[in-house]
């Protein structure tokens, strides 16, 4: 399968409601470097994604297994910044705020439009986050 | 374990009836780049392959889990080509033909014997396949 | 450096005229899995891209070297298909046509709009290419 | 997450009683090369390590599954060598000795102190092991 | 070569004055996943490191090439924090401060001794750095 | 390019006199996991291998550079073993024997024919080598 097809697959899979998607490089028998495509989806969506993998890739088979997940409770807020409002994602563990990250897609757009380095922008946003939110990782 | 031992392992494992085998490069604690060997086999063969991994590699332990698989129904046909008969593998999903691929080992031999580029040969075979078989990925 | 910053870097680097960009996963001292960012650019653009790497990433240093390149002569044509006109890239070696590939971004858009599998579409386009163009890899 | 944080994570995780830890490089959507952190622990320790991953890394979620393991029975012995006593790990399968390896951390210290190549030292130790222990991989 | 030997090699190579060292996983002929060891050193040290690679690893040959480097000017300062003094590395480009990072080994020790998450500690240090230092990535 | 084509490429390239060949997994722009094919050849063979890469792979361009190599002086001997004569490769550095390794292809054949684990066989051969050859890595 041409490697250029992956960006398409990534889009299709996420659009159809997958929880996550990633690839890993593996080495198969007969000297074949290859790509292993991994999709994480809800149990109810299993058949849909098996069909999608069989139809959209060049594979002759799909393996699957059941995993459990623990995820942080998520909340989204708007943060006032000198660059305008930016969405930040808040992660709670046992009711305690332990993580706040700015939405990268929004930061990316600002950085591209204003022609400022993205890591400079994110550094400034993180500075604001540190002032505004009380993150506590101590148990 | 010396990296040269893998081609031997790949052969032994497939000869003993494994469904598939591949390796992944991983990074372990204490600055150790390492190779993770993965074997896919039928449940009845589990003990045989655990023994094989313990005896044939340098590992002190083997992990395993149960996976489900969905595979295309496969049929093999001979395709007449200007290079002689070549086996093609047909894959069916819900009774519909969705994939036809030539057997690479046969193509490889022809390419090596006739000193023609393998991708040129495969391109021609795929052209023939497109003429002869009605592949339909539309749902 | 957050992994999310790479898509931004890829865009910035290509927009500024790099010939190519890719990353490789490496393993550094002190148990650090890391990402090596590689940019291929014209010699005249060297200073620009060194500055860009120092400003846009978290690195404290950049290594570079001079490589030679041999590239196929490229020409672009429009191919009439049942999906509309699609650009194809033609590659010539010593004046001989040895490669024709459809532009993936255009194919991707069509596949997404028409909700047909991209590999099905590309297969059909390649079939057309095989009919229309005389590709010859024989020396 | 900065790559330098991994050596810390590796230490914390092993100190808290994990059975093993490793990372794999993966490639996520939106052009993000990333690192997948895998921890192998006893079932009773599951909650502890999920908490640890959520608190000590930048992730918003953890996946887990139950694996079975087959491990060699292990015994440790002291081996008299020209470099002093060195611990060797013995691995038994079905009551039969099939593997003997010197403890690398001890060998490493000796090699560093005496300024002799580690592979030279290990080769000599393996020579001694071959004389002293009867390893038999034949079934 | 056993993968456990790498942490030793990493130490030996850095102790002997290399500028950097890293490994990459590659895939060789005959189905051999392997590790490529890369050392970056000053030109005057070339012979020393070639000898070291030939003696300390299992290789039968070493390849080398000359690379140029551009590095940030570096200065080190002590930063007063609630955890005591921590060294920070300052990076200057064309005389302008563009990067300040805390020394991870020191942070790691504090995190381990005080049993606080390292990413929490580093986040706090970065907060202090943002207050004390004027980093400017704008050209 | 289909991953199955690599074993063919590896064979063709080595048959045409390359010094070495390997692949690396890389991540390109537009979410494309890809394979970088590296060939090491003599300077006189450069044109031949550039042509080969352009014709035998799907690439539109090839990069190359000049590397220096230091290799051990090699000599081959036959070693009498309980499994018959086996070729061993001797490596000399500054006239001193520093490495002796059995030829894996021969060992592999014996292991497959006699159905004994290859690592068991190699361990025994190394034991013999240690008795017969005086390897000295001390400077």
């Amino acid at each position: 399968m041409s490697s250029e097809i992956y960006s398409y697959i990534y889009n299709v899979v996420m659009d159809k409601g997958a929880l996550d998607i990633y690839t890993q490089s593996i080495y198969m028998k007969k000297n074949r470097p290859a790509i292993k495509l991994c999709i994480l989806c809800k149990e109810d969506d299993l058949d849909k994604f098996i069909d999608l993998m069989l139809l959209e890739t060049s594979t002759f088979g799909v393996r699957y297994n059941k995993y459990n997940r623990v995820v942080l409770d998520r909340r989204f807020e708007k943060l006032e910044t000198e660059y305008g409002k930016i969405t930040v994602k808040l992660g709670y563990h046992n009711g305690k705020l332990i993580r706040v990250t700015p939405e990268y897609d929004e930061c990316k757009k600002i950085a591209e439009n204003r022609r400022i380095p993205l890591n400079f922008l994110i550094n400034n946003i993180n500075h604001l986050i540190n002032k505004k939110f009380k993150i506590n990782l101590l148990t």
Side-chain angles (χ1 to χ4, degrees), chain A:
Chain A
M1 197 169 79
S2 167
S3 72
E4 277 154 322
I5 216 168
Y6 283 100
S7 88
Y8 163 80
I9 302 260
Y10 277 43
N11 288 351
V12 169
V13 165
M14 293 311 291
D15 284 354
K16 300 232 170 185
L19 299 172
D20 209 353
I21 181 171
Y22 62 90
T23 52
Q24 285 183 292
S25 59
I26 62 173
Y27 295 134
M28 301 175 75
K29 60 186 189 293
K30 297 185 185 173
N31 255 342
R32 284 189 288 156
I35 307 292
K36 183 174 150 194
L37 176 68
C38 306
I39 295 175
L40 185 65
C41 70
K42 290 183 193 138
E43 202 166 357
D44 286 349
D45 288 339
L46 182 60
D47 289 342
K48 180 171 72 179
F49 284 108
I50 288 172
D51 275 11
L52 192 148
M53 286 183 102
L54 291 173
L55 288 171
E56 300 274 6
T57 77
S58 59
T59 193
F60 270 79
V62 176
R63 280 185 301 143
Y64 59 93
N65 203 343
K66 194 174 170 172
Y67 281 83
N68 297 293
R69 280 211 313 166
V70 175
V71 294
L72 298 183
D73 291 324
R74 291 150 204 232
R75 220 156 47 77
F76 293 87
E77 277 194 23
K78 292 289 177 188
L79 183 71
E80 287 285 357
T81 78
E82 57 181 300
Y83 313 103
K85 280 188 180 163
I86 289 175
T87 312
V88 293
K89 181 162 70 168
L90 288 74
Y92 294 85
H93 185 48
N94 300 329
K96 219 173 56 175
L97 179 65
I98 66 166
R99 197 149 301 138
V100 183
T101 59
E103 287 295 81
Y104 273 85
D105 287 348
E106 296 180 20
C107 295
K108 195 178 142 186
K109 254 178 232 159
I110 295 169
E112 284 170 350
N113 290 340
R114 301 197 176 209
R115 291 164 202 279
I116 54 177
L118 178 56
N119 60 351
F120 177 71
L121 172 66
I122 286 173
N123 196 38
N124 286 346
I125 307 287
N126 282 336
H127 195 46
L128 268 183
I129 285 173
N130 266 324
K131 276 189 193 154
K132 169 136 191 225
F133 298 99
K134 182 85 197 144
I135 298 155
N136 196 336
L137 295 172
L138 305 184
T139 45

